[in-house]
Amino acid sequence: MRTVDLILRKRGGEELSVEELQYLVTGYTSGDIPDYQMSAFLMATYFNGMTDRELSALTESMMQSGEVLTLSDIPGVKVDKHSTGGVGDKTSLICAPIAAAAGVPVPMISGRGLGHTGGTLDKLESIPGFRTDLTVEQFRAQLLELGLCFIGQSEEISPADKRLYALRDVTGTVESIPLIASSIMSKKMAEGIDALVLDVKVGNGAFMKKQVDARRLAQAMVGIGRRLDKRVQALITDMNQPLGYAIGNALEVMEVSQTLQKAGPADLTRLSLELAARMIYLGKITPTLDEARKLAEDKLMDGSAYRKFKQVVQAQGGNPQALDRFELLPNASGMREILSPRAGFVSAIMAEDIGRASQMMGAGRARKEDVIDPAVGVILEVKVGEKVEAGSVLCRLYYTAEENLDEAADLIEDAFRISGARPEERELILEVVG
Ligand code: URA
C-alpha cells in the first residue's frame, strides 16, 4: 500500500477500506507516514467527508492505536463529558466535579486548545503544578480514590488522536464532521467509560455554524457510541457568544472557581448544571432526570463540588489555594479596555473572533510546537442583549506581550455589534440527540 495512492483516492471522493484507514492511522502514529502526507489526507477528508463505514473504521483504528482501558474493577457506571469546542467553554471543569460529588465515577480524557477554541488540558495546566500526564495506573488509582481524574491523550491512550489533533490544529482541517467525531469518540471509547454526555456547540464560535451540521455531528457520535454499546446523549447548545465572561486559560479557571462557589455567570452555571444532571442520570445515580437536576444543584450549592475540584487539583500536583487566591495563578502584566463606539444594545459578540484574538495574544497555538501563555485572554464586561452607553467598557484584554496586541484589539472591537433595538433572546440549550 502506498500512502500517496490513498491520498489520491480520498481526493477523488472514493471510499477507503478498513485496512487502508488502519494503515494510515498506524503509519502516522508510528512516525512512518510524515506530517505532510497526513496533512494532505486530512485536507482531502475535510473536502470529501467520509461514509459511515469509513468513520467507524477510522474511529476504531484511532481507539486501538493505544491501550483500551477496562475500568470494570471500579464500582459504578463510569460517565464522561466532552464538548466539540467553544469559546469560554469551561463547563467540563464544573460539571465533572458536580457529577463526581454526586457519586458518578468520571474518568475524563480531554484535549488542548484547537483552532480558535480553548482546551480543558491547557486550562487545568494554568494552575501552578497541575499535571495531566498521569500514567494509566495513576489515573485508575485516582479514579478509585476521588471518583474524578483529568488526563490527556497520551502515548498510552489514543496516541493517534494526540498526533492528529495537533496536526489538524495547524493545517486548517479542524471543522470536519468525521474528523471531529473520530477524534472525540476514539479517545472517549478508549477510556473504559459506560456512558458519555456530549455538548455539541453550534454558532459563530463553534466549528459547526449551522444547527443542521451540529445535528449531523451529534448523530454521528451517538451512532458510534451505540455501535460500541455505550449510552451517549448529546446536547446541541448555542455558541453565538462566548460562554460566561472569561476567555483564556487562567482567567477561565478563575471563573470556574467562582462558579463552583455559586458566584458564576448565569449561562455557564445553567449549562454546567444541565450537563452534570445528564451525567448523574446516565450514571444511574437517580431514577429520573428531574431528580438528577435537583441533585446536581444540591452538590453545587452545598459546596461539595468545589471541595471535590480542590481535592482533584491537589491530587494532580496543583496548588488548590490558587483557586481562592487568584494572585497565585499566572497573571497578565498589561490590560487594555475596548470601549463601545456608540450607545445601544449589544446585538452580537462574534465568539470566533474573540477566540482568534485570544489565540493571537498567546492563549492558543499557531504552530504545533508553540507554548501557550496561560495568563492572557479577554474578560467581557457585557453580554448579548445588554444596553451600553457610548464609551462604556465592552471588554478588557489581558496581555503579557505587545506583539499582535493591536491586531487582536482590532479584531475584538469588530466582534461587538451594537444596534438600536434589543435583540431577541436566544435559547442556550437547543436540542437533545440520543
Ligand atoms: N474536541 C476533540 O477532542 N476533537 C475535536 O476534533 C474537536 C473537539
Side-chain angles (χ1 to χ4, degrees):
M1 230 180 273
R2 288 192 333 148
T3 306
V4 65
D5 295 330
L6 303 184
I7 297 170
L8 285 169
R9 293 205 12 241
K10 189 79 230 162
R11 194 187 73 183
E14 286 180 45
E15 183 181 59
L16 299 189
S17 68
V18 173
E19 294 72 30
E20 286 165 336
L21 286 160
Q22 253 164 11
Y23 167 86
L24 286 168
V25 170
T26 317
Y28 185 60
T29 310
S30 66
D32 291 341
I33 296 178
D35 278 356
Y36 56 82
Q37 283 193 307
M38 191 42 101
S39 306
F41 174 76
L42 292 173
M43 192 56 87
T45 303
Y46 174 90
F47 281 113
N48 288 325
M50 277 190 172
T51 62
D52 284 351
R53 250 201 330 230
E54 284 180 305
L55 176 56
S56 288
L58 176 66
T59 308
E60 287 191 37
S61 304
M62 288 170 67
M63 175 177 100
Q64 300 291 350
S65 68
E67 232 182 285
V68 178
L69 305 185
T70 45
L71 298 175
S72 44
D73 52 324
I74 296 176
V77 180
K78 273 71 66 183
V79 188
D80 194 1
K81 172 265 167 188
H82 200 84
S83 158
T84 57
V87 178
D89 180 8
K90 65 249 345 143
T91 54
S92 288
L93 300 187
I94 303 162
C95 68
I98 296 176
V104 183
V106 184
M108 186 169 273
I109 300 191
S110 305
R112 300 198 173 277
L114 191 64
H116 64 278
T117 69
T120 301
L121 295 183
D122 294 331
K123 292 171 209 199
L124 284 168
E125 285 175 359
S126 72
I127 302 171
F130 197 101
R131 288 188 45 214
T132 56
D133 59 346
L134 307 187
T135 63
V136 167
E137 274 327 301
Q138 290 167 326
F139 176 67
R140 206 184 267 284
Q142 185 173 318
L143 189 60
L144 204 51
E145 193 195 333
L146 296 178
L148 171 60
C149 188
F150 295 103
I151 58 166
Q153 317 100 307
S154 65
E155 289 313 313
E156 286 173 282
I157 303 166
S158 204
D161 182 52
K162 183 178 160 93
R163 293 199 172 79
L164 287 168
Y165 191 92
L167 187 64
R168 286 169 55 218
D169 193 19
V170 292
T171 55
T173 52
V174 170
E175 299 92 339
S176 147
I177 291 179
L179 297 181
I180 296 175
S182 57
S183 162
I184 292 178
M185 297 307 283
S186 63
K187 55 182 171 269
K188 296 289 153 177
M189 296 297 115
E191 65 182 356
I193 49 171
D194 304 298
L196 175 65
V197 176
L198 292 165
D199 183 5
V200 179
K201 299 283 183 203
V202 61
N204 68 51
F207 296 130
M208 298 296 117
K209 309 291 182 209
K210 296 194 211 125
Q211 200 161 327
V212 53
D213 292 329
R215 192 178 303 126
R216 279 176 55 216
L217 174 58
Q219 284 163 345
M221 293 191 286
V222 169
I224 294 171
R226 196 169 293 138
R227 284 193 286 280
L228 294 171
D229 216 16
K230 312 284 180 194
R231 288 186 76 191
V232 181
Q233 214 170 57
L235 301 186
I236 299 181
T237 69
D238 184 62
M239 184 31 73
N240 279 298
Q241 64 174 328
L243 196 58
Y245 290 87
I247 302 101
N249 298 291
L251 298 173
E252 293 193 40
V253 167
M254 295 176 201
E255 195 167 68
V256 164
S257 170
Q258 290 161 339
T259 307
L260 285 170
Q261 294 178 83
K262 300 163 274 181
D267 58 348
L268 179 62
T269 305
R270 159 133 202 272
L271 183 53
S272 303
L273 279 171
E274 183 63 21
L275 291 164
R278 304 251 166 196
M279 293 171 79
I280 292 167
Y281 177 59
L282 290 189
K284 301 202 167 102
I285 300 287
T286 58
T288 67
L289 182 57
D290 277 341
E291 284 164 276
R293 288 190 175 114
K294 166 87 178 60
L295 186 56
E297 198 154 343
D298 289 349
K299 294 296 163 190
L300 179 68
M301 290 302 166
D302 70 9
S304 49
Y306 187 47
R307 283 194 294 280
K308 177 66 72 182
F309 189 53
K310 283 179 136 180
Q311 285 169 348
V312 168
V313 167
Q314 174 133 38
Q316 295 195 225
N319 181 0
Q321 285 180 6
L323 299 173
D324 294 319
R325 292 174 50 203
F326 294 161
E327 70 275 15
L328 298 177
L329 288 169
N331 274 285
S333 50
M335 189 273 286
R336 183 185 288 189
E337 291 180 339
I338 303 289
L339 306 180
S340 179
R342 70 187 78 86
F345 292 95
V346 180
S347 58
I349 305 175
M350 306 306 283
E352 177 162 358
D353 293 338
I354 305 268
R356 277 209 192 293
S358 310
Q359 188 188 16
M360 250 181 226
M361 287 158 57
R365 297 171 187 79
R367 289 170 308 169
K368 265 203 311 186
E369 51 287 350
D370 284 351
V371 176
I372 61 157
D373 184 341
V376 301
V378 179
I379 301 274
L380 303 180
E381 283 300 314
V382 292
K383 299 278 282 188
V384 171
E386 282 182 41
K387 198 164 185 285
V388 291
E389 300 303 327
S392 58
V393 180
L394 297 176
C395 71
R396 294 188 167 85
L397 274 52
Y398 290 88
Y399 60 92
T400 53
E402 303 265 340
E403 203 192 340
N404 299 333
L405 181 63
D406 288 340
E407 209 185 328
D410 287 347
L411 196 54
I412 290 188
E413 241 173 79
D414 290 346
F416 286 87
R417 308 284 148 83
I418 312 292
S419 68
R422 192 190 288 275
E424 255 179 50
E425 233 175 88
R426 301 179 74 99
E427 287 291 326
L428 180 59
I429 300 171
L430 301 164
E431 227 177 289
V432 181
V433 176

